[in-house]
């Protein structure tokens, strides 16, 4: 069986704020949010090989709680960061609310988009950010499959391996936006205003994407 992916022209996005000025940009203009149509068995096995120690990493959405799925995503992301000598991200309740709210919106309104101003959503939950980013995905049934796909996409991978961010929030739904397969995910990243970046090591992000 051949890997089949539907690529959507929606880039992962990031924002930086200096005082009251804001600068919004696509992390990589040519990268895409991914919707998985089918994984090969080899790709699934490869994903399993890099998720040891993360509970619920391969548990389907309908078989785990939202908290368990969130924890698995953060664990997997931090494994990717640790392999490249970056500090881990800390799950943040405000970012969880932002990410979950947007996931619910996409499913309810059958849309697959970052919207006009994702940063305002993060501000609205009380997260006073200096830097923020967001990944979205649809059609993935497990935490391992969505993190693996994000790592294979340049812009999404760069958000995950950004040395700037310290905190992360995760949203997940078994529903689907538009006509995609079920399994919708949002990942919001942030650096609190006044905090220093987690690291000065940009090399891992510059090496994106990663297939292993």
């Amino acid at each position: 069986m051949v890997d089949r992916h539907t690529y959507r022209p929606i880039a992962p996005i990031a924002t930086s704020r200096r005082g009251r000025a804001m600068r919004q940009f696509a992390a990589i203009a040519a990268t895409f949010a991914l919707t998985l149509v089918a994984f090969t068995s080899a790709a699934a096995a490869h994903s399993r090989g890099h998720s040891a120690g993360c509970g619920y990493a391969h548990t389907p959405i309908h078989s785990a709680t939202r908290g368990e799925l969130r924890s698995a995503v953060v664990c997997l992301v931090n494994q990717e960061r640790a392999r490249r000598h970056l500090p881990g991200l800390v799950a943040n309740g405000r970012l969880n609310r932002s990410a979950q709210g947007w996931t619910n919106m996409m499913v309810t309104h059958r849309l697959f988009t970052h919207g006009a101003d994702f940063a305002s959503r993060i501000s609205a939950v009380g997260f006073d950010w200096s830097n923020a980013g967001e990944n979205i995905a649809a059609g993935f049934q497990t935490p391992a499959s969505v993190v693996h796909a994000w790592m294979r996409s340049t812009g999404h991978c760069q958000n995950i391996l950004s040395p700037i961010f310290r905190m992360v929030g995760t949203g997940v739904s078994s529903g689907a936006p538009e006509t995609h397969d079920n399994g919708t995910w949002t990942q919001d990243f942030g650096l609190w205003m006044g905090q220093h970046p987690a690291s000065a090591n940009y090399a891992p992000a510059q090496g994106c994407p990663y297939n292993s």
Side-chain angles (χ1 to χ4, degrees):
M1 184 182 297
V2 178
D3 270 341
R4 297 172 58 236
H5 296 81
T6 300
Y7 291 85
R8 306 279 302 169
I10 301 175
I13 51 180
T15 280
S16 177
R17 177 163 61 187
R18 296 293 181 268
R20 293 182 181 274
M22 293 178 61
R23 177 169 54 91
Q24 187 167 350
F25 57 93
I28 282 288
T31 57
F32 304 96
L34 290 157
T35 299
L36 180 68
V37 177
F39 264 119
T40 62
S41 57
H46 184 80
S47 175
R48 283 194 295 272
H50 290 289
S51 58
C54 291
Y56 302 97
H58 301 282
T59 304
I61 290 174
H62 57 79
S63 299
T65 68
R66 186 177 294 164
E68 289 165 345
L69 295 167
R70 282 174 172 163
S71 294
V73 169
V74 175
C75 177
L76 292 165
V77 163
N78 282 338
Q79 280 190 347
E80 296 290 350
R81 291 175 66 91
R83 289 175 62 203
R84 296 166 180 89
H85 309 290
L86 290 169
L89 300 175
V90 176
N92 178 271
R94 291 182 174 92
L95 292 179
N96 279 341
R97 289 198 298 276
S98 172
Q100 190 61 51
W102 191 247
T103 299
N104 295 345
M105 191 289 303
M106 288 194 290
V107 171
T108 298
H109 295 282
R110 310 291 287 177
L111 297 172
F112 187 55
T113 175
H114 290 285
D117 185 3
F118 87 100
S120 67
R121 293 188 267 108
I122 293 176
S123 296
V125 297
F127 190 92
D128 186 19
W129 55 271
S130 62
N131 289 266
E134 181 170 88
N135 289 344
I136 60 174
F140 297 90
Q141 290 296 306
T142 67
S145 64
V146 71
V147 172
H148 180 64
W150 277 332
M151 290 298 296
R152 295 173 67 189
S153 170
T154 302
H156 301 87
C157 171
Q158 288 177 335
N159 273 343
I160 288 172
L161 298 182
S162 171
I164 295 174
F165 300 132
R166 287 180 174 271
M167 300 179 187
V168 66
T170 307
V172 57
S173 172
S174 59
E178 296 182 342
T179 58
H180 300 304
D181 293 338
N182 289 347
T184 303
W185 306 78
T186 303
Q187 197 172 41
D188 283 342
F189 304 87
L191 179 69
W192 196 262
M193 184 68 73
Q195 281 188 320
H196 294 294
S199 171
N201 181 12
Y202 285 86
Q206 292 169 348
C208 289
Y210 294 95
N211 294 321
S212 61

